[in-house]
Amino acid sequence: MSDSYRTLLLMRHAKSDYPDGVADHDRPLAERGIREAGLAGDWIRANFSPVDAVLCSTATRTRQTLERTGIDAPVQYAERIYDARPGTVIDEINGVSSRFGDDPSTVLLIGHEPAMSAVALGLADGANRTAAESISLKFPTSAIAVLRTSDPWDQLALGGAALVRFHVPR
């Protein structure tokens, strides 16, 4: 593979809890989510180390997911990723190089459904039908869609990436 390829890891936050009286934005991880976020981090480090940059929603459950993955990379928290439409998430991805001051080759984005599945399927070129079908059926908590592109981050658009893999850590 050429060094000019970029890898995007789209991860849905780990399983969250639903405590009474807590606003959606502030919901913490459930015990299962704590465990599965750790498994996701182990898988990411084993297959995509190093992660060069992380974009993360500002929601408590996404922040806790990132913390539990143990991924050590520069992080930018983006309010726009919380409750975002797919176009907003792609816009955040397009700004990666300017946000991080360089051209990271591997970016982890931790967000929410239904945006994560829509972004993964929208960016995918359609070649990996098995992974696309899995994502279409369900993008569970802690799941990770792996996409690769030769396009610069600021030019990544619909159909501009290969959907390489879809992994659900359990």
Side-chain angles (χ1 to χ4, degrees), residues 114-132:
M116 292 299 93
S117 60
V119 170
L121 294 172
L123 291 176
D125 61 10
N128 188 338
R129 294 176 126 176
T130 303

Side-chain angles (χ1 to χ4, degrees), residues 5-82:
Y5 281 87
R6 288 160 190 79
T7 302
L8 176 63
L9 307 170
L10 293 174
M11 180 179 182
R12 182 178 177 195
H13 63 79
K15 180 72 177 162
S16 59
D17 202 358
Y18 293 87
D20 289 336
V22 175
D24 183 74
H25 190 274
D26 301 326
R27 288 191 295 121
L29 291 182
E31 287 300 316
R32 183 180 115 194
I34 291 169
R35 181 178 58 79
E36 290 174 356
L39 293 173
D42 291 345
W43 185 81
I44 291 168
R45 280 190 305 282
N47 292 282
F48 301 98
S49 193
V51 170
D52 301 307
V54 178
L55 279 174
C56 186
S57 161
T58 57
T60 299
R61 60 191 177 274
T62 54
R63 289 173 175 265
Q64 289 179 344
T65 297
L66 174 59
E67 179 184 333
R68 294 297 182 164
T69 65
I71 300 297
D72 184 25
V75 180
Q76 292 274 322
Y77 295 98
E79 179 69 36
R80 293 178 70 209
I81 296 172
Y82 174 74

Side-chain angles (χ1 to χ4, degrees), residues 76-138:
Q76 292 274 322
Y77 295 98
E79 179 69 36
R80 293 178 70 209
I81 296 172
Y82 174 74
D83 201 24
R85 295 185 182 274
T88 301
V89 175
I90 293 170
D91 187 52
E92 289 294 318
I93 294 165
N94 290 154
V96 160
S97 293
S98 62
R99 281 191 113 144
F100 291 94
D102 59 3
D103 188 27
S105 62
T106 301
V107 173
L108 169 63
L109 188 146
I110 303 175
H112 309 267
E113 268 297 279
M116 292 299 93
S117 60
V119 170
L121 294 172
L123 291 176
D125 61 10
N128 188 338
R129 294 176 126 176
T130 303
E133 286 173 10
S134 294
I135 290 170
S136 294
L137 291 173
K138 186 172 184 179

